[in-house]
Amino acid sequence: MAEHESLEFGKADFVLLDNVSLEEFMANLKLRFEKGRIYTYIGEVVVSVNPYRAMNIYGRDTIEQYKGRELYERPPHLFAIADAAYKAMKRRNKDTCIVISGESGAGKTEASKYIMQYIAAITNPSQRAEVERVKNMLLKSNCVLEAFGNAKTNRNDNSSRFGKYMDINFDFKGDPIGGHINNYLLEKVGGGVFKCIFQLVKGAPDAQLRSLHIQRDPTAYTYIKVGGQIKVFADFKAVTDAMKVIGFTTEEIQTVYKILATILHLGNLKFGSDGDVTLIENSKLVSVLGDLLSTKDENVEKALLYRTVATGRDVIDKQHTHQEASYGRDALAKAIYERLFCWIVGRINDIIEVKNYDARVHGKNTVIGVLDIYGFEIFQNNSFEQFCINYCNEKLQQLFIQLVLKQEQEEYEREGIPWKHIDYFNNQIIVDLVEQQHKGIFAVLDEACMNVGKVTDEMFLQALNGKLAKHAHYTSRKLSPTDKNLEFDRDFRIRHYAGNVAYSVVGFIDKNKDTLFQDFKRLLYNSSNPVLKAMWPEGKLSITEVTKRPLTAATLFKNSMISLVENLARKEPYYVRCIKPNDVKSPLLFEHERCKHQVEYLGLLENVRVRRAGFANRQLYPRFLQRYKMISEFTWPNHDLPSDKEAVKRLLQGCGFEHDVAYGKTKVFIRTPRTIFSLEEQRAEMVKRIVLFLQKVWRGTLARKRYRRMRAAHIIIRAYRRYKVKSYIREVNRRFKNVRGMKDHGKHVKWPTPPKVLRKFEDALRNIYNRSEWWAWTLIKDLSPEQLVQIRAKVATLECLKGQRADLGLQRAWEGNYLVSKKDSPGTASSFTLVSSDLQRKDKFMRVLFSCNVRKINRFNKAEDRALLITDRHLYKMDPVKQYKPMKSIPLYNVTGVSISPGKDQLVVFHTKDNRDLIVCLQGMVPAGDSRIGELVGTLLRQCSKLIPVGLIPPVALYVAGEKFVSSRGTLSSLESAKLLHKS
């Protein structure tokens, strides 16, 4: 059974219809067509409706979906039938065939191309070059045969005017190694414009047309009826390239187009009369024909106007009448084209046939046959061609029913299922009516053609009436005088399996006989073109030579049909039944009566009845379990019963269907479609649950997998971080291990680069290192008391002025009493020393904190050079010009604040309680530009830090750019001193 499709698309298999009736069959067929489902099964038969539009269902993806799958596992498709035929051939080593039938325009040619495309796509997985070459030639042969065998007709733009049966040979590995083509009943020129002729006129290069004396205008040729051919240039090139790929030589291809040009020119030949003499009116064409046929002009003209007749030993030339000349011209055109087509088929067979194949060495050679043949035809006027076509379909229908019944019966017997006789319409009686010896229509026709003298079509009809008057399936107007649908002396009717068809006998005699004059055969045989000469071997016979009467067209066709049916009967058949939905090539229109007629004459309903007579569906036990095992608890997910057969029994018993099934040896047989639909519904319901369960399990699996992956990543990251941290700590430890013994106590040691995660940790570690007590104590333990006092003063300066001034003088040693230094006052140092000693005795200060040359600025903005002396008790302003005479003495407890600027200047303002501020600018520094503001501030801050806590002086404020800083600290830690010393 086909993959379960939604009921909105109808039944995918006609066998599953609730009621087997023509109305239900047509309703299902129409519904699927309207829903875009052009394929439907009847068991193992595919019913195909021409969609009249391009459909994206033949690509590589679709091929992969059907490759190796069973029919019922995927929706109906041509690929499913092709794959079934290929599997039967490869697995069971059986020759198979695919029979494609339907009327003109139903899509047979396209179906055969898609089947060939599928077989080519799934074979030769190892890409062997020779196999690829054979596949390419087989595919290209389709292109060539379509060009020369298909024509534009009133009913179809690409109508096959011949039947084609292609055998594809496969080696033991299932790869194509060659093939063979048989063709049946090529309709001659006149039934339509063959594609190759139109392609030549519209698509050939200008130079080639000039060499063939052809014009680009199709209306210039009598045999061509202009019709809407498209892409003719591309088609012409494609056909020419395909012929080259197959193996046609350049000379052979050129000869083919010369023959086509000859046919066009023959159609333009006009005959006239001059008394009793028949003439060619456009005699210039004779030389053109002579050039194209590679023969002499006079021989061409003689063959067209005269007929050579042997009377005993004498040979005479009998001139044609105007009518006979025209008839001979048309007969020659038709014969040339028929011979050309047969030669092309034969040439392709010579190239693609299997060569040097020994079954003992290479294994058995198996075959898949593809039969693309015309379907049953009922026209307004049915002639000899329709009669042969319908006879062919009678033979194939008989084979079809017999093989289907035979397959059913054999399968039942193999599986041990009782077989019941099935009644069906046996059309053997119609086949006998046509082909029976001495009594059949073909025999009567051949007999009429062999009679001496003038034999007409009316005489043939009279002979039929005489021999078949009592046949239940034959009638004519003479036998049924009241039937006004038949004309006297013209029509007869046959009651076919597909319906009644009236045939006109007009042309039966001529079409059955070989009406080509021997003169034409000799003319073409004597051509200097070897290819053309090989097409007419009978032309070598002498005019006086007595030969056996050639077989008639009816006999040849009957023999070919008998041979074809015998060939098909030896193979396992698969069928594609093509239906044409409308006559206007619309992708939307479904003409009910038109399709109903085709369903009837294709015998599709009969096929459904045969399949439904016993069991509607049968499946292998493993396949059945694979599809439905989720329905039963005894079979899901796997059963523990003795066999698959027992498991299927338990499953069906649990569903309550044991009375609607039969159990074979390898298959389960299901009688009614309702059981199948019920199983499918239960399966669909369980599949939803299974999918949800699988999704849950899978999502859980994915989540656990993702968690394990994240956890592993976390562990790795954590371990890596530990490793990097440990590595960094070890490296820090290694580098700073011996800093105690270094002269600079590790000042030169470079810190290792920390990992990103430890950047903040490194900053903290550096701070810890820089603030460590051992390091501070190491730096300050060897300092003298004087140095320690200086360091503490610097720390006080840094603490108050850091970031306020650029240069604080921290990098140099602070001397304090600069006026006793010979650098600042080389000539007056002794005088300053005497004055400072007197002041010490007088004011009882302990030591000099700071002294320096300054420039005083008074309130009138007048500047004068002065000296500044600061002791532990007073601040003195002196006049260096008068031997450092003290000019002003300010007790430190009267100083309320000191102001400095943030710039590079050395300006200092001492604020006092009486608001008589002292403004000076330090100067005379050696070296010049040396900043002593920091030293002055630090010295005062250090001194104040001693006096303020004991109440000797009030708090002193420090102002920098107007911002106030108050020092109230009394002590300085060793760490602060070490930091400043480290910077110094």
Side-chain angles (χ1 to χ4, degrees), residues 144-168:
V144 175
L145 293 177
E146 184 177 331
F148 287 88
N150 288 26
K152 177 175 175 58
T153 65
N154 293 330
R155 304 182 66 183
N156 185 6
D157 287 341
N158 190 29
S159 175
S160 297
R161 307 319 297 160
F162 73 107
K164 179 186 70 176
Y165 177 75
M166 173 183 282
D167 269 334
I168 307 172

Side-chain angles (χ1 to χ4, degrees), residues 856-859 888 890-891 893-899 909-919 959:
K856 176 185 173 290
I857 303 169
N858 62 20
R859 59 189 174 186
K888 187 175 183 179
I890 303 173
Y893 58 80
N894 281 340
V895 178
T896 60
V898 178
S899 291
V909 179
F910 295 95
H911 302 284
T912 62
K913 291 180 180 180
D914 56 4
N915 294 325
R916 298 180 66 181
D917 297 345
L918 176 64
I919 304 173
Y959 298 88

